[in-house]
């Protein structure tokens, strides 16, 4: 205080003249400082696409749909699709479920809502054309994703596909009741609207030659999927109907039931789709699987829905032989037992020698498909006949990429999308447009031990409600309501992402967290007690030693 | 129109608080002050006095409530006595540091143990150094008027003040009292204009932590204002005469002009001393009386002027600072110290614990004064078995012989 | 922001509270609901320091510092003045546990008994922290303080101040803690809205240095006090109607004590711990019975 060098300048009594903040810079007391730090949520880390889930949730919470959508689109252009068919690994990682007895956030359902809400939102037309042309072969999820990102970067993109319509597995492999064709068509239209050109009925290897494409385009991305039938090793294999082909026929309304009693061999998601589709067409279906439920690769939810549809499961049942018996098929199955774990970590089924015979009208195989690499020259293949690719899908030829099921064998839609995006980014980097891509999320993932679940409201997890319909082929679930979505987002801890919940602000004993639509730490006064860091539900704050700060 | 009533000192004090338009009154009953509290309760309950009356649970709280009220800009009043004043002690300091012009009436009584409700100045003089102004009333009229006079000065220097009144001799004695016209009092004592009033529009802190860099200056202002109050008391006493008909002064002389031997007294016992002075004059002894009205601020200059050049001065103290002397004597000695015309000051300790101080007592003092050579610090008058004289130096503590317990 | 807590700040930064000070946080949160037409009376307590040395001050309302034992009555005096001046200012006495449970109890009882129109808020850190951690009558059984050392920890249970207050039958009394800010804000709002009589808030306020714990656990420890029923959150209207405002879960009391070094003597003494457990349970059952009676429709 100036002027207090003479008694005449003093007030009569010790009455304050200024606020503490004018002179007491309590930040000097601090040895550690809290810092708001964007980290990776486990849901994002588990998500193959690395979608910044807490971030777009936060935008939804703030009713900023466009922002939420654009955050999402950075990592996955098809929320309407993956919001319906994704195995949602994200939910397995949810810290809430690990740290408490609560169920994980219903992330996929929110994603679906986001997709549906933005169905009519056009993709932005690229602001700056590069003049480069890129070819994409295969109009499935990988090709569509690559097309989206390449077009977004400003390239002229042409997508080729052997079928009459784009969509690949999305249109022809996944049943209508899970993923309506209208949804797929909507995405294709939006791609067309942003300038992607689709050229149909052109198959690689016959109508198109890879060398021609390489010559004509700046870059090529091939994602023709895995539709080739793999040998099941079952005697009388030719009597089996390929599951994927059946699904395609069913999606084209061309399928017919071989009879009332059907069997499906396999335990993957295709097996579930085939079994459920058959059941919905009126059959009585039995799934024959050589291991048990615990080892079954199909996502749990699909298994449960199959059960709801009335599908039977025969576990530890290995078909050995199929013979025709009049208009029936006789399937000889061997009883298996579980032995030691195999390379996938699952217990290996071992033969017991005990066999029995089962009788069906039709038997479908869904034990996995293989990629057809025939259209590729030998120089691009390895000794097993697979494509020889690096992590982003680059082949040995310059600017020729491959991805999706073609590269990995049958996998999920989201993995195909990621492959398409990765290839697009790698192509962009090679073409000199790396700056059009956002940075990758930090590797630092928030662990369940770090979160604070205290402030999470306790209410039931919101899931896609069953649709009330008499049509067995209509979509079987509905999208959540906006209220359900907001309620569900309220349960989100927002791991590693500040969703401006205000907890740090409320609990700061020093008022050193300033609030302007969000927290700002006032380091001039923050004493470094660490309450904010400890209370932050998603641990989007960390304490940093002051010495590190001053040395930095 | 002023009203003439026959009232006790206690009731007069209550009228004083009423005429001063006290706004917040907070008090705790203690004999012999109780009648003040009772009458003020009635006056506020009946609406004659528009004030909040807080029936607190202790004298400490009585003063604390006054501190709160005064800090918030209200004119605050309380009354107490003896133990109660002692209990207030901490908050008496608070009122000074907070610069709150609270006025209190203290009906002086002796301190326990043994329990005594009788007249004795020890209680009020124990508060000598807290920083309150102090006036000693002699009459029922003064018990009323000094409250008004005190507020007038207190609110100019922002220091509190207390009016001392003797237990029973004054508090319970009825005398004629002029109850002033309210409008005239209002003219003399306008409404309280506080320095601060805890206005939420001005969110300041009052009386917080002060470190060594600043405390001294803030206290210096207290000392300076107490010094200022000396002249203001004189001016305000003068004005009291102009507006309300009776002039008051910090000191009052009686037959003083040519007196060789001066008796100094304060409070109600002065009336008997005054009678003795008249008697002595009739006998041809050039006696005089100096009554101390203002004890804080102590009228040092006036004391020097009134007592300089006298042959002998006897100070009657109804109190004693053990280990030194009667407190009035002590103060007067220090005022005169080093003056070339300083008379010898003889300290007489009288009437402790309500023992009567009669006209005869004053005569005994004068008889002793006339013959005593050494100006002793303290000469005790009326201790059983002892002549007037200083404390014995050969006294030893001895256990008391056991007495038979009476059943 | 998801919290129903006002954003406006009425406490300046740069206060002298220790790191993680519950008293500072309690003040900050209380001010958010107190309103601007208010005056605070502060007896000797940590806040005598926290508010800053002259000539600075931290609060957006006037603060009158006063002597240790006088919070309730000085507030009474201030309120009397405001009333006579025709103002409706809320007058708050803001005292620590010493200024409430111990030295301030007489004036508090007096004001409560007279049903003075003031709001008395006790921020209770369960010992004389400002003087360096000496026991008060608020110090719970088994606590270490500098006057109840490890060899002779606090033997007596914490004084039941809410019981004492309830016995005065004032219109409103409540317990609260900054760990439950919305509950706290609700109670401040309620207390401010009830005019014409005495209101009392008892705020458990963590003191990391005095409780011998990490400052970043400050909220967690208060939360555990509530969850374990050591410090239940409730309201008392007119001294008779009890309402539990937050239902504890069955967190073991050890989970509350173990965060704090001051309870080392207690955690090392099974017999004493058992006594405390019984005491906590007995008080909880009493509270529960009163709550149920108050809400059963039967006369309280």
């Amino acid at each position: 205080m100036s002027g207090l060098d003479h008694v005449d300048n003093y007030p009569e009594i010790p009455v304050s003249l200024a606020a503490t903040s004018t002179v007491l810079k309590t930040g000097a007391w601090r040895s550690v400082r809290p810092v708001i730090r964007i980290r990776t949520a486990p849901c994002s880390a588990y998500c193959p696409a690395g979608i910044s889930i807490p971030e777009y949730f936060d935008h939804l919470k703030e009713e900023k749909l466009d922002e939420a959508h654009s955050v999402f689109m950075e990592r996955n252009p098809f929320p309407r699709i993956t919001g319906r068919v994704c195995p949602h690994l994200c939910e397995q990682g949810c810290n809430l479920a690990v740290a408490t007895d609560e169920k994980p956030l219903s992330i996929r359902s929110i994603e679906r809502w986001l997709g549906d809400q933005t169905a009519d939102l056009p993709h932005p037309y690229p602001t700056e054309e590069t003049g480069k042309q890129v070819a994409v072969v295969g109009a499935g999820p990988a090709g569509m994703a690559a097309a989206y990102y390449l077009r977004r970067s400003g390239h002229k993109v042409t997508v080729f596909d052997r079928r009459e319509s784009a969509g690949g597995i999305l249109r022809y492999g996944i049943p209508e009741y899970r993923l309506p064709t209208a949804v797929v068509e909507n995405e294709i239209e939006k791609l067309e609207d942003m300038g992607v050109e689709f050229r149909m009925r052109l198959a690689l290897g016959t109508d198109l030659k890879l060398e021609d494409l390489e010559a004509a385009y700046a870059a090529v991305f091939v994602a023709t999927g895995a539709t080739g039938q793999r040998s099941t090793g079952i005697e009388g294999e030719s009597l089996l109907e390929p599951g994927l082909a059946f699904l395609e026929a069913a999606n084209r309304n061309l399928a017919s039931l071989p009879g009332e009693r059907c069997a499906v061999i396999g335990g993957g998601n295709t097996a579930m789709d085939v079994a459920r589709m058959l059941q919905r067409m009126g059959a009585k279906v039995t799934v024959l699987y050589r291991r048990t439920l615990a080892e079954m690769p199909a996502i749990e939810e699909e298994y449960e829905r199959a059960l709801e549809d009335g599908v039977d499961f025969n576990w530890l049942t290995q078909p050995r032989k199929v013979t025709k018996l009049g208009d029936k098929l006789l399937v000889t199955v061997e009883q298996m037992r579980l032995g030691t774990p195999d390379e996938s970590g699952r217990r290996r089924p071992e033969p017991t020698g005990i066999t029995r015979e089962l009788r069906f009208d039709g038997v479908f195989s869904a034990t996995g498909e293989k990629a057809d690499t025939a259209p590729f020259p030998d120089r691009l293949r390895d000794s097993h006949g697979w494509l020889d690719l690096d992590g982003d899908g680059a082949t040995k030829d310059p600017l020729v990429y491959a991805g999706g099921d073609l590269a990995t064998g049958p996998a999920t839609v989201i993995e195909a999308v990621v492959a398409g995006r990765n290839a697009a980014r790698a192509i962009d980097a090679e073409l000199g447009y790396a700056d059009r891509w956002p940075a990758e999320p930090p590797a630092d993932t928030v662990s369940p031990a770090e979160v604070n679940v205290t402030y999470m409201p306790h209410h039931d997890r919101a899931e896609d409600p069953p649709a009330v319909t008499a049509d067995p082929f209509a979509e079987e679930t509905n999208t959540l309501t906006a209220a359900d979505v907001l309620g569900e987002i309220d349960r989100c801890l927002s791991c590693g992402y500040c969703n401006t919940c205000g907890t740090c602000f409320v609990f700061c004993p020093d008022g050193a967290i300033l609030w302007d639509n969000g927290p700002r730490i006032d380091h001039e006064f923050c004493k470094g007690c660490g309450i904010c860091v400890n209370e932050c539900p998603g641990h989007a704050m960390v304490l940093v030693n002051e010495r590190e700060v001053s040395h930095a | 129109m002023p009203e003439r009533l026959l009232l006790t000192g206690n009731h007069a004090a209550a009228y004083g608080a009423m005429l001063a338009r006290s706004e917040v009154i907070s008090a705790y009953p203690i004999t012999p002050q109780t009648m003040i509290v009772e009458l003020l309760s009635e006056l506020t309950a009946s609406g004659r006095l528009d004030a909040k009356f807080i029936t607190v649970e202790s004298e400490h709280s009585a003063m604390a409530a006054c501190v709160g009220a005064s800090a918030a800009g209200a004119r605050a009043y309380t009354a107490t006595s003896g133990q109660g004043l002692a209990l207030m002690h901490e908050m008496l300091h608070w009122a000074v540091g907070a610069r709150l012009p609270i006025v209190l009436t203290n009906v002086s009584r002796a301190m326990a143990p043994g329990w005594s409700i009788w007249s004795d100045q020890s209680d009020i003089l124990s508060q000598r150094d807290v920083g309150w102004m102090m006036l000693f009333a002699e009459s029922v009229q003064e018990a009323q008027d000094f409250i008004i006079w005190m507020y007038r000065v207190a609110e100019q220097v922002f220091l509190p003040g207390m009016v001392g009144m003797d237990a029973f001799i004054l508090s319970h004695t009825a005398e004629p009292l002029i109850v002033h016209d309210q409008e005239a009092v209002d003219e003399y004592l306008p409404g309280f204009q506080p320095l601060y009033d805890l206005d939420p529009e001005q969110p300041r802190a009052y009386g917080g932590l002060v470190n060594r860099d600043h405390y001294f200056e803030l206290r210096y202002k207290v000392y300076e204002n107490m010094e200022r109050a000396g002249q203001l008391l004189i001016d305000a006493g003068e004005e009291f005469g102009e507006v309300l008909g009776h002039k008051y002064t910090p000191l009052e002389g009686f037959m003083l002009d040519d007196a060789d031997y001066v008796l100094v007294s304060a409070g109600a016992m002065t009336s008997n001393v005054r009678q003795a002075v008249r008697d002595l004059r009739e006998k041809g002894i050039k006696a005089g009386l100096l009554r101390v009205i203002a004890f804080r601020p102590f009228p040092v200059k006036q004391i020097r002027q009134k007592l300089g050049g006298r042959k002998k001065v006897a100070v009657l103290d109804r109190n004693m600072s053990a280990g030194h002397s009667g407190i009035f004597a002590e103060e007067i000695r220090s005022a005169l110290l080093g003056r070339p015309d300083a008379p010898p000051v003889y300290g007489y300790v009288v009437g402790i614990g309500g023992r009567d101080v009669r006209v005869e007592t004053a005569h005994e003092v004068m008889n002793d004064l006339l013959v005593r050579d050494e100006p002793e610090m303290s000469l005790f008058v009326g201790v059983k078995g002892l002549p007037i004289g200083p404390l014995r130096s050969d006294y030893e503590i001895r256990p008391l012989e056991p007495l038979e317990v009476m059943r | 922001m998801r919290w129903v807590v006002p954003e406006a700040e009425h406490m300046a930064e740069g206060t002298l509270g220790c790191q993680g000070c519950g008293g500072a946080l309690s003040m900050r949160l209380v001010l958010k609901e107190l309103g601007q037409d208010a005056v605070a009376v502060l007896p000797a307590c940590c806040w005598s320091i926290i508010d800053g040395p002259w000539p600075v001050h931290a609060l957006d309302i006037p603060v009158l510092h006063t002597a240790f034992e006088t919070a309730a009555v000085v507030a009474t005096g201030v309120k009397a003045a405001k009333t006579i001046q025709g103002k409706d200012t809320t007058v708050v006495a803001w005292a620590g546990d010493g200024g409430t449970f111990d030295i301030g109890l007489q004036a508090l009882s007096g004001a409560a008994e007279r049903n003075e129109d003031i709001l008395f808020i006790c921020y209770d850190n369960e010992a004389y922290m400002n003087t360096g951690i000496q026991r008060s009558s608020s110090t719970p059984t088994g606590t270490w303080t500098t006057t109840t050392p490890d060899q002779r920890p606090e033997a007596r249970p914490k004084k039941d101040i809410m019981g004492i207050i309830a016995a005065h039958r004032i219109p409103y009394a409540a317990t609260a803690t900054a760990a439950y800010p919305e509950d706290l804000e609700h109670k401040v709002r309620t207390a401010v809205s009830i005019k014409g009589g005495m209101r009392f808030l008892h705020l458990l306020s963590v003191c990391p240095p005095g409780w011998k714990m990490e400052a970043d656990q400050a909220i967690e420890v208060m939360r555990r006090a509530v969850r374990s029923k050591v410090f239940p959150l409730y309201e008392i209207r007119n001294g008779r109607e009890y309402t539990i405002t937050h239902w504890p879960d069955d967190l073991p009391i050890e989970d509350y004590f173990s965060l704090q070094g001051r309870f080392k003597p207690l955690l090392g003494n099974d017999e004493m711990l058992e006594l405390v457990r019984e005491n906590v349970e007995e008080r909880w059952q009493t509270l529960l019975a009163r709550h149920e009676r108050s809400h059963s429709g039967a006369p309280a």
Side-chain angles (χ1 to χ4, degrees), chain B residues 89-103:
Chain B
H89 179 80
E90 182 195 25
M91 297 315 291
L92 296 179
H93 276 290
W94 208 280
V96 172
R99 302 292 298 278
L100 303 173
I102 300 161
V103 170

Side-chain angles (χ1 to χ4, degrees), chain A residues 137-170:
Chain A
V137 186
M144 285 165 66
Y148 170 79
Y149 288 109
L150 289 164
R151 179 67 194 129
R152 196 172 82 154
S153 288
H155 310 305
K156 184 172 184 332
V157 180
T158 308
V159 181
F160 302 93
D161 195 278
R162 65 182 169 93
R163 290 192 179 89
E164 75 279 13
S165 296
I169 191 94
L170 303 173

Side-chain angles (χ1 to χ4, degrees), chain A residues 199-217:
Chain A
R199 297 182 61 189
M200 296 293 105
R201 298 179 204 275
L202 293 168
L204 187 66
T206 53
D207 308 311
L208 302 164
K209 294 281 181 283
L210 187 60
E211 291 74 18
D212 297 342
L213 293 173
E214 285 186 49
Y217 291 90

Side-chain angles (χ1 to χ4, degrees), chain B residues 23 51 55-58 60-61 64-65 68-69 72-74 90-91 94 197-200 203-209 214, chain C residues 36-37 39 51 53-54 57 59-67 69-70 73-74 77-78 80-82 84-85 106-107 114 116:
Chain B
E23 293 166 305
T55 54
V56 283
E57 79 300 330
S58 76
H60 194 281
S61 284
E90 182 195 25
M91 297 315 291
W94 208 280
D197 63 355
L198 300 178
D199 178 6
R204 297 171 180 274
Y206 302 86
L209 187 65
H214 304 300
Chain C
Q36 292 296 97
D37 188 11
V39 171
D51 196 42
W54 188 80
H57 158 59
L59 309 188
D60 243 5
I61 56 171
V63 162
L64 179 62
H65 288 271
T66 185
E69 62 279 55
T70 62
V73 67
V74 170
V78 172
K82 294 288 181 190
I84 208 104
Q85 292 157 357
Q106 175 178 316
R114 296 189 304 273
E116 296 290 354

Side-chain angles (χ1 to χ4, degrees), chain A residues 15 17 20 455 505 508 527, chain C residues 13 17 19 28 54-55 57 223:
Chain A
V15 55
L17 306 174
T20 44
Y455 311 109
F505 169 77
C508 178
K527 295 168 187 164
Chain C
E13 297 174 90
Q19 288 163 331
R28 186 177 153 254
W54 188 80
H57 158 59
R223 186 156 49 229

Side-chain angles (χ1 to χ4, degrees), chain A residues 105-287:
Chain A
L105 259 284
S106 196
I107 300 171
R108 191 184 66 187
S109 295
I110 297 168
E111 174 178 330
R112 172 172 166 178
W113 181 87
L114 171 71
D116 285 0
Q117 288 296 305
T118 53
D120 298 329
L121 196 67
H123 297 322
Y125 211 79
T127 49
E128 195 187 336
E129 298 285 350
T130 61
K132 299 276 194 314
Q133 297 192 31
V134 181
V136 173
V137 186
M144 285 165 66
Y148 170 79
Y149 288 109
L150 289 164
R151 179 67 194 129
R152 196 172 82 154
S153 288
H155 310 305
K156 184 172 184 332
V157 180
T158 308
V159 181
F160 302 93
D161 195 278
R162 65 182 169 93
R163 290 192 179 89
E164 75 279 13
S165 296
I169 191 94
L170 303 173
R171 186 193 287 267
Y172 298 108
I174 301 176
E176 179 78 11
Y177 59 83
R178 285 181 60 204
L179 179 62
T181 307
V183 170
V184 180
E185 286 177 344
N186 168 251
E187 295 294 356
I188 293 161
E189 279 165 26
K190 280 159 71 175
L191 290 174
E192 285 173 333
D193 289 347
M194 80 187 291
V196 174
E197 182 191 9
F198 284 89
R199 297 182 61 189
M200 296 293 105
R201 298 179 204 275
L202 293 168
L204 187 66
T206 53
D207 308 311
L208 302 164
K209 294 281 181 283
L210 187 60
E211 291 74 18
D212 297 342
L213 293 173
E214 285 186 49
Y217 291 90
V220 181
F221 174 60
V222 186
T224 45
T227 51
Q229 201 55 39
R230 206 161 56 177
S231 171
T232 56
I234 299 169
E235 202 182 322
E237 193 175 44
S238 61
L239 294 170
L240 304 179
E241 198 168 329
L244 210 54
F246 165 75
L247 287 174
E248 178 164 348
N251 278 335
R252 293 173 184 274
N253 290 323
L254 297 173
S256 58
L257 277 184
E260 199 201 341
R261 289 190 50 79
C262 295
V264 177
I265 301 168
N269 289 321
T270 304
M272 295 304 112
D273 285 342
V274 173
R276 296 187 64 207
M277 180 59 95
L278 286 165
Q279 192 81 21
R280 279 161 185 259
M281 287 167 71
K284 182 77 197 78
V285 183
T286 303
V287 169

